[in-house]
Amino acid sequence: MKKFNFRKVLDGLTASSPVSGSSSGSNSGGGAGSGSVHTGGTAGILREEIQETLTSEYFQICKTVRHGFPYQPTALAFDPVQKILAIGTRTGAIRILGRPGVDCYCQHESGAAVLQLQFLINEGALVSASSDDTLHLWNLRQKRPAILHSLKFNRERITYCHLPFQSKWLYVGTERGNTHIVNVESFILSGYVIMWNKAIELSTKTHPGPVVHLSDSPRDEGKLLIGYENGTVVFWDLKSKRAELRVYYDEAIHSIDWHHEGKQFMCSHSDGSLTLWNLKSPSRPFQTTIPHGKSQREGRKSESCKPILKVEYKTCRNSEPFIIFSGGLSYDKACRRPSLTIMHGKAITVLEMDHPIVEFLTLCETPYPNEFQEPYAVVVLLEKDLIVVDLTQSNFPIFENPYPMDIHESPVTCTAYFADCPPDLILVLYSIGVKHKKQGYSNKEWPISGGAWNLGTQTYPEIIITGHADGSIKFWDASAITLQMLYKLKTSKVFEKQKVGEGKQTCEIVEEDPYAVQMIYWCPESRIFCVSGVSAYVIVYKFSRHEITAEIVSLEVRLQYDVEDIITPEPETSPPFPDLSSQLPSSRSLSGSTTTVASEGVTKDSIPCLNVKTRPVRMPPGYQAELVIQLVWVDGEPPQQITSLAVSSAYGIVAFGNCNGLAVVDFIQKTVLLSMGTIDLYRSSDLYQRQPRSPRKNKQFIADNFCMRGLSNFYPDLTKRIRTSYQSLTELNDSPVPQELERCKSPTSGLATRTPEAAPGFYRNEIPAVRQRNQVHHLPDHVNGHCTSPTSQSCSSGKRLSSADVSKVNRWGPGRPPFRKAQSAACMEISLPVTTEESRENSYNRSRSSSISSIDKDSKEAITALYFMESFARKNDSTVSPCLFVGTSLGMVLIISLNLPSADEQRFTEPVMVLPSGTFLSLKGAVLTFSCMDRTGGLMQPPYEVWRDPNNIDENEKSWRRKLVMNCPSPSQEIGDHQYTIICSEKQAKVFSLPSQTCLYVHNITETSFILQADVVVMCNSACLACFCANGHIMIMSLPSLRPMLDVNYLPLTDMRIARTFCFTNEGQALYLVSPTEIQRLTYSQEMCDNLQDMLGDLFTPIETPEAQNRGFLKGLFGGSGQTFDREELFGEASAGKASRSLAQHIPGPGGIEGMKGAAGGVMGELTRARIALDERGQRLGELEEKTAGMMTSAEAFSKHAHELMLKYKDKKWYQF
């Protein structure tokens, strides 16, 4: 009786019918339906050998932390006791910052812009006012802040808010000029309202405008200062409910600030003036100044200046007060940058900023408004930066910012993420980068030092690399969910600076930012770093601790190959392989030794886009340029953007490709090994018989399709394009698909697939006969219901085919297997929110049949993926050899064999042979990534060379031997497959068994969308395939069986920035550029989600509120009645009544008492909150006990003195006193 296996039954529920026959020649393995998994004949053997340990319980998606500068900031607030800073943005986000490591991001669900922020000082709460006229109360006593209450105003618009220190009543000014009062504990509106018509005089005929300022008097809390936009200021008595005095000025008011004694206040106006008012003489200003106005003759008014948007008036005990304001510059200085002016005594200092000022705050020693403020710093929030100025030094230096606020210093164009990298790398990069840090910072500690943070349990090294539009590259330490810059590399230093009027040839290719970084490739073990730029160049860097001065070696490569746009009817007309002399490293056209100078009116040829420095260049310690490779103009056509890049430090080879072909360069010997059109790589087994095309009459290349367009290809606010979808760019100008040819006649027709196995060499005169053994498999092949089989009926994209044309299309010569063209990602139908200007170039909404048989587009087969590995180049090879896997935009995979010298000494002198092996594999859609596993299921890393300093003068020349780590499959005497290759494309993933090239598993990941990013990563010591889809889904599949482990609709693709920068890495980590200035990190690891609460910083820490200074007997007697003012009695429901229900609506927040259990994160969060509450309660009880003991001591002392006094005067008569 056959044993029943329940596990196999469950696996069969999600898998479709297996591929018929295992067939050693099978290499296509098509999929039937979306999400289906096909297994080959040897799948059962593989499953017995490899026990997969990952299950769906290991995976969960959640955001971890956000780095960078808050995008489009609008508001700023500071808690002077907790010393934490809050920044609001136009998108409804709030960033709360404390000491390094304390960085919290929270978001309003409505997405409305944040107008103003107010801390409940030392209470662990924050009030935000948003542009949808809603107030929110945030609870900061948990690591993930949550909204406790919301109050939505229905009939009035919020313009200004003010919360007095140690008060629970919030003053809210509106656009109508009214002032409302809200209880922040219950978030209920009080019935007490200050109407605008009650505040102004009855004789006033005009509306005073919106409320622009609210503040209580430092001298008397029962008096409220209300500032209106038209220049009216009202000093309102809250008890008597009347205006005590009114101030009028003929210029609009922007801001007001009190003197700490409460007798004077200062206003800033729209004409650039500052007015100082005294409460005793409100009829006219006590003092009027225009700080930046030109001095006029006596009796004449000073010249008006730009508006002073905000002023702060801060007093000092031992020096003159500080008057700090933004704006107010003269109109005749239109080119001056935004500035912050600091007036201290007679000295006036103007600090010019790089960006417009959004808001600023002065940090003071005391939170009490009625004491000497003693300012020590100014926080200035700019549109694209955050700086803090030190006021304690006369030259006003700025503090060194510990937060990564300069990610966007130049727009980010690409990213890379490396987790669990070699631990010494971070220290090495930091030691090199710290030498180049800017000087002149303040020597004091960063003043925003609130919160608490510890490393947590997961402390493996993590490095993030960002490439930028100016050619710079930044290395960041991302360990323990923090971010700190380690090292900065400027790639533009290898090129000559272009003078004004020069560089015309580059401008024809790149409109702006010719040095923009397009792709990066880094090998952490060997420290080899490679960069490709938008101007069609590749730079290979090596790391050294020593400074050198050397010339930069450069190579120029011609990479252009045109073909006819039709399929030739007979195989005899297929062209022979190109002349070998044009492909050998000694070719003059590849080495760049010949250069055709292009003058005006002459066809440009062999001209690079940029000029490499020819003189010796000083290279500081760090990454030093080893080789620069540039693609050149060919017959008047500019070089195309590089679409794929790979480097092998073990082989000493760099490979890169574009839509024209592939180039392989030996960076040890500085020679070009291969420069070939994509079609040439197929050799005689070309799946499309295409002929070389005669020179076109019009040599001007269509820039809208292929020409490099600078930063517009990268930056989100300009033209956007998905990196992996290159082939579709040729079709942006095509007409729609004819309806009658859109579908095939028989949607059930099969596809006959033949697999070429030829693997002959062809270099020099070694061209043996080609042998092919073909095996036929009938597989259904449909994409979105459209047949893609050219044997049933050809479909056209952009033109109608006649019957004669169709017969030509289907006429395959002997030995020419019919080929199903895969669908490219960029042609899928998705909707992106782009502007009218963007829509001309970002043509992703174009509906296109997936049966792409437009023959004129087959010639543009881009190289989309490259991978170096020790593998089996040909079918049934017995040993592994160096190989280069090449993936194309048509879903084809080619294996190129690398013949390296056997001896290490010969590697520097003997030539390297590069031979296309003749092995082909195919998938649907453009190929995205490769990876390899050994027969035990362990992930095989590409071979690498162990790093050694190339400029170390202490090492002996005899010890110069390259130490290589090859990572070859474990040797075995058994006959069979020893390696498994994972290949993922835009549509599907396949697992092949090598060397038999049997397709073991096929998983059709998506049919209605396409994959943007795919990587094979290590999770819990096991490999898995992680994919990010254009429809927003993040999918994880086990390896090698490709079983779905996770499928979450995480992030809809709303911006090409996300597609360009999304990347996975090991240990369940991923990131993407969520805005032009911010990096969002996330995890798909269940373990990290569980431990995230311990890794995040605490925003609130129990701190005792500083005691107010003793005002003295006379100040308490004559200084005002603020101590006896009871707001509860005045604003409470008992005396003020209830507010109108239609005025505002109370909305309980998810962070209330009922919802805090779920938001806190489980039992640990509950225990943490309970511990904090107990600590606070114990601290308060301790304080109470100390105060009680102090009062008892004082009472005993008073009793003792009273008794002594009684005894002294006990027996005295009245006349004896």
Side-chain angles (χ1 to χ4, degrees), residues 1068-1101:
Q1069 305 283 347
L1071 65 81
Y1072 60 94
L1073 202 68
V1074 69
S1075 72
T1077 62
E1078 295 171 290
I1079 289 177
Q1080 177 67 59
R1081 292 168 64 179
L1082 63 140
T1083 180
Y1084 48 93
S1085 166
Q1086 177 68 57
E1087 180 184 2
M1088 187 168 183
C1089 290
D1090 295 338
N1091 299 328
L1092 186 59
Q1093 289 291 327
D1094 297 332
M1095 301 173 65
L1096 296 175
D1098 292 302
L1099 296 174
F1100 178 80
T1101 54

Side-chain angles (χ1 to χ4, degrees), residues 407 412-419 421 425 429 462-468 472-478 483-489 491 517 519-524 527-531 623 1060-1061 1063 1071 1073 1079:
I407 292 176
V412 177
T413 56
C414 60
T415 58
Y417 193 5
F418 300 87
C421 51
L425 268 179
L429 290 172
E462 298 176 71
I463 292 179
I464 295 174
I465 305 177
T466 57
H468 299 265
S472 62
I473 296 169
K474 295 180 181 180
F475 292 76
W476 306 84
D477 177 13
L483 196 68
Q484 181 183 8
M485 195 173 80
L486 299 172
Y487 173 71
K488 183 177 180 180
L489 174 66
T491 63
V517 178
M519 302 179 72
I520 52 181
Y521 191 100
W522 188 42
C523 178
R527 302 184 187 177
I528 291 289
F529 188 68
C530 195
V531 181
Y623 275 105
R1060 189 187 67 248
T1061 58
C1063 53
L1071 65 81
L1073 202 68
I1079 289 177

Side-chain angles (χ1 to χ4, degrees), residues 156-212:
E156 297 195 56
R157 308 213 64 180
I158 299 173
T159 57
Y160 195 86
C161 297
H162 170 64
L163 181 65
F165 178 50
Q166 293 182 330
S167 171
K168 66 176 184 179
W169 297 96
L170 175 71
Y171 300 108
V172 181
T174 67
E175 193 175 34
R176 293 185 179 181
N178 302 325
T179 302
H180 300 274
I181 301 172
V182 179
N183 187 325
V184 294
E185 290 183 350
S186 61
F187 246 53
I188 296 177
L189 199 62
S190 171
Y192 193 107
V193 183
I194 304 174
M195 305 298 291
W196 66 272
N197 53 355
K198 301 291 185 181
I200 64 174
E201 290 184 346
L202 297 177
S203 59
T204 305
K205 298 181 180 179
T206 58
H207 190 279
V211 176
V212 297

Side-chain angles (χ1 to χ4, degrees), residues 783-794:
V783 182
N784 295 337
H786 304 292
C787 179
T788 58
S789 171
T791 60
S792 58
Q793 178 179 346
S794 294

